[in-house]
Amino acid sequence: IILQRFDSVTPQEFAFGEQMLKDDGIDDETMHEKMDDIIRLFDGVMEREHLELPEGHPIRSFMEENQIILGTIAEMKELLAGKFIKNRWLEVYDRLKEYIKHITRKHNQLFPYLEQKGFDRPTLIMWTFDDHVKKAILRSARYLDMDKEEAFLKMQPEVIEKIEDIIFKETQVLYPTSMELLSEEEFRKMRIGEEEVGFANMEAPKGFLPPEKTERSSGGEPSFMKDFSALLSKYHMGAGTDTEMDVAIGKLTLAQINLIYRHLPIDLTFVDENDIVKFYTDTPVRVFSRSAGVIGRKVQNCHPREILPVVNRILDSFKSGEKDTVEFFINKPGKQIFVNYIAVRDENGVYRGCLETMQDVEHIRSLGNKPQSAPVWTGS
């Protein structure tokens, strides 16, 4: 064994080492449990980088959101030192729940680009830390809503610690590494889908959009429409988005197909036979936030680690032919979400992917149809 002394370590080197530990057989659970100890080992030698970025750059927006939420953390510490006033805590938790947008945007926008570089270990580990932050915020918010003052106050040091910890990890490792691995063009592409998820406690920034997005916002034809038009022209199939195409039954233009998807009262997501997310509907009634960054991403990387066994079980049952559908309900405050996973097979019965549908059926339930509350596995 050759030991070598390092006077300093860059965030990129630290993240690369984290990735290499995966290749050496260190599993994700062990890495998650020991991550704080590992970071402490590098205290004093980890180089710190000050990033000067233009308005609208995704990393700058992440950092600005963190500064805002750190102000909220300071307010929480002051409130803990005084008498309990519920209304003030409700205001604080409105901001903390907004911070979940920061986490969601990071998962949907930033992580996919890093994973495309083969850099999946740090994102998987950080996803677990992020989930702990979300759960702590939401559990604490429920205590507050239910007037469980003692349980609520007891939880606040944990909420504060978890948020400060994730901000530290983002600042020290995630952002500098992202700047090293990703190009300006990739950040500009990432910028396109950010408004779809939204920003945490701040207005949407201006600028740092790619040219095609600016063109679209000023009334120009979206770039994907232009690409499609060019493809149709190449094969002499017509002028573009207004050209009628033969579908299974009937004829539709691309513009009509997109309009139909956008007006469905249900979320659709399609994952192909290789577990790659290929499509989701752009509807105003979306149950869970997502953005275009999930397209082309392994579906396993779009879910928290603790539910991966369920995701893989469903997909494996489809691929083996054991199941054709899996359906269940998710209960949320004021909502009851009906989820249906459907195996997509071609005319020869070959598995070609999975279609996921989601719909808030609370309104339907109010009309007299009371759905079951337990998951139901069905198959043919």
Side-chain angles (χ1 to χ4, degrees):
I1 298 175
I2 299 175
L3 299 178
Q4 188 173 354
R5 178 181 179 85
F6 294 91
D7 295 324
S8 65
V9 174
T10 68
Q12 297 88 341
E13 290 168 338
F14 179 88
F16 180 77
E18 186 180 350
Q19 181 73 27
M20 291 302 98
L21 287 174
K22 177 180 180 180
D23 298 336
D24 289 339
I26 306 299
D27 60 46
D28 291 339
E29 185 172 351
T30 301
M31 280 297 298
H32 174 258
E33 292 175 354
K34 301 298 183 182
M35 181 54 64
D36 288 336
D37 294 334
I38 294 171
I39 289 179
R40 277 194 291 270
L41 287 174
F42 290 89
D43 188 30
V45 298
M46 181 88 77
E47 294 181 7
R48 297 173 183 250
E49 298 186 23
H50 181 68
L51 302 174
E52 291 286 351
L53 301 170
E55 181 185 4
H57 192 292
I59 298 299
R60 172 169 166 170
S61 297
F62 284 131
M63 293 192 298
E64 288 178 351
E65 288 172 327
N66 279 344
Q67 286 304 308
I68 293 169
I69 211 66
L70 284 174
T72 299
I73 293 297
E75 184 177 347
M76 292 172 69
K77 293 175 180 178
E78 291 179 4
L79 289 174
L80 285 173
K83 292 184 178 180
F84 177 82
I85 302 174
K86 183 174 181 178
N87 282 344
R88 291 191 64 186
W89 279 109
L90 286 171
E91 293 173 3
V92 163
Y93 267 80
D94 283 342
R95 279 173 265 152
L96 290 182
K97 285 185 281 188
E98 273 282 302
Y99 188 66
I100 293 174
K101 292 179 181 178
H102 170 98
I103 294 171
T104 302
R105 211 172 66 254
K106 184 171 62 173
H107 292 179
N108 288 1
Q109 296 292 105
L110 180 58
F111 285 5
Y113 279 91
L114 292 175
E115 288 163 6
Q116 288 171 18
K117 307 289 184 180
F119 218 67
D120 58 350
R121 163 55 72 84
T123 58
L124 286 172
I125 300 301
M126 184 161 283
W127 191 309
T128 303
F129 285 109
D130 289 338
D131 282 343
H132 290 174
V133 170
K134 287 195 295 183
K135 288 177 181 178
I137 290 173
L138 295 176
R139 184 165 65 249
S140 192
R142 285 196 295 271
Y143 286 149
L144 183 61
D145 290 338
M146 296 167 64
D147 291 319
K148 294 185 176 181
E149 179 182 331
E150 183 177 350
F152 171 79
L153 291 174
K154 185 178 180 180
M155 249 197 103
Q156 296 321 291
E158 177 186 347
V159 173
I160 291 170
E161 179 185 2
K162 288 185 182 299
I163 295 175
E164 289 180 332
D165 177 66
I166 202 65
I167 289 175
F168 175 80
K169 289 179 170 65
E170 289 179 5
T171 303
Q172 293 296 307
V173 179
L174 181 63
Y175 300 154
T177 303
S178 300
M179 292 301 299
E180 179 73 18
L181 288 177
L182 304 181
S183 67
E184 179 177 322
E185 180 183 5
E186 287 169 318
F187 279 119
R188 287 187 184 276
K189 288 180 180 178
M190 190 186 308
R191 171 75 181 88
I192 296 175
E194 289 190 312
E195 276 87 355
E196 194 163 349
V197 174
F199 295 85
N201 301 303
M202 60 180 275
E203 295 292 327
K206 299 177 182 179
F208 207 73
L209 293 164
E212 59 266 26
K213 179 66 175 180
T214 304
E215 181 181 353
R216 179 175 181 176
S217 63
S218 62
E221 187 181 22
S223 62
F224 80 91
M225 293 287 199
K226 287 186 174 182
D227 293 342
F228 188 77
S229 297
L231 183 63
L232 290 176
S233 297
K234 178 180 178 180
Y235 292 99
H236 309 290
M237 295 176 62
T241 58
D242 292 329
T243 300
E244 285 192 335
M245 298 176 289
D246 290 320
V247 292
I249 299 177
K251 293 178 179 290
L252 291 170
T253 67
L254 178 64
Q256 290 170 334
I257 291 171
N258 277 305
L259 285 171
I260 290 170
Y261 281 135
R262 287 176 184 147
H263 287 79
L264 287 175
I266 190 170
D267 275 359
L268 300 178
T269 302
F270 178 68
V271 177
D272 72 9
E273 64 269 27
N274 298 311
D275 300 344
I276 302 297
V277 181
K278 305 294 287 189
F279 165 85
Y280 67 86
T281 49
D282 180 18
T283 68
V285 293
R286 189 168 305 143
V287 176
F288 295 109
S289 296
R290 66 189 71 183
S291 67
V294 302
I295 301 299
R297 192 180 188 195
K298 292 280 285 187
V299 70
Q300 287 85 353
N301 291 339
C302 299
H303 292 282
R305 188 178 65 185
E306 59 262 31
I307 70 168
L308 284 184
V310 176
V311 173
N312 287 326
R313 179 186 172 197
I314 291 172
L315 294 176
D316 289 344
S317 73
F318 289 170
K319 293 172 184 177
S320 68
E322 175 192 354
K323 299 288 183 182
D324 286 326
T325 63
V326 174
E327 53 190 2
F328 54 90
F329 288 97
I330 298 175
N331 293 308
K332 296 173 67 69
K335 294 182 179 181
Q336 188 162 53
I337 312 302
F338 174 61
V339 183
N340 192 6
Y341 290 93
I342 304 162
V344 176
R345 307 186 193 280
D346 64 20
E347 59 274 12
N348 297 315
V350 177
Y351 177 72
R352 299 304 300 274
C354 170
L355 181 66
E356 176 196 66
T357 73
M358 286 191 183
Q359 185 176 18
D360 180 4
V361 296
E362 187 65 29
H363 171 66
I364 300 173
R365 183 183 183 185
S366 70
L367 298 177
N369 296 325
K370 188 175 182 180
Q372 298 171 236
S373 58
V376 177
W377 282 66
T378 62
S380 59

